[in-house]
Every structure is written in structure tokens, then in C-alpha cells.
Amino acid sequence: MSTTELAELRRTIGQLRQCVGALRSRYGDASAVRRLANDVERLDIDSADLDGAQVPVPAQAKPVERVPVPDTPYDPALWHGADDEGVGGYKRDQR
């Protein structure tokens, strides 16, 4: 994260803290206000962790193994006795 992004994050957290303060003056010590204050505090702690963190180097992606699928039709014997899913077994053996 660049210095500019961290500064913007800190500024935004400061604005959130002011909003939660305004909510606290309006709603008092309601549980929802306490949770919001806790969330803002957690954001502040996490942003401080980011500020001191080393930027990880992205790992190189492994190439995807491709499996060729032939265009030739399958052997009909492969499907002998199988029902088409969702059709309700229209090829059932008649007794």
C-alpha cells in the first residue's frame, strides 16, 4: 500500500471516528454504537499493522495443465443402460 493510500485510509478512519462520536451523542451508549466504535478502533489497529508491514511479493502462478478433449463421438456402449438426467428415464426397459 502506498503512502498516499495509507494517508487516505487514516483520514477516512478519522472521519468515521467523528461520525461515531456524533452517533454516540445522539443515541448514547447503545450496543450498536459500541459495536461501531469497536469496528473503528479495529480499523485503526489494522491500518497501523499495514503501515509497518512488509509488502509481500506476488507469487508466480503455475501454468494451467490443459487436458485435450477429442471431438470424436463417444462409444455408445459407454451409455448403455444409463438414463438421461432430468428426463425421467425414457429409455427404461419395457417389461
Side-chain angles (χ1 to χ4, degrees):
M1 200 175 257
S2 73
T3 307
T4 307
E5 291 169 327
L6 282 171
E8 178 67 18
L9 181 61
R10 293 272 184 187
R11 186 186 66 74
T12 305
I13 291 171
Q15 288 176 335
L16 278 171
R17 192 178 309 280
Q18 288 177 351
C19 290
V20 170
L23 289 171
R24 180 172 278 135
S25 67
R26 180 176 177 152
Y27 295 104
D29 197 31
S31 61
V33 175
R34 285 195 312 265
R35 286 193 304 270
L36 286 170
N38 187 32
D39 291 344
V40 171
E41 189 63 31
R42 186 72 227 164
L43 285 170
D44 196 29
I45 291 168
D46 289 343
S47 68
D49 287 348
L50 278 177
D51 196 13
Q54 297 277 339
V55 178
V57 177
Q60 295 292 331
K62 294 192 310 184
V64 177
E65 180 183 351
R66 301 202 185 268
V67 178
V69 178
D71 289 336
T72 57
Y74 290 111
D75 180 12
L78 179 68
W79 308 111
H80 180 72
D83 289 335
D84 287 337
E85 186 176 329
V87 177
Y90 73 95
K91 291 186 179 178
R92 291 191 181 202
D93 293 323
Q94 300 292 324
R95 291 187 186 198

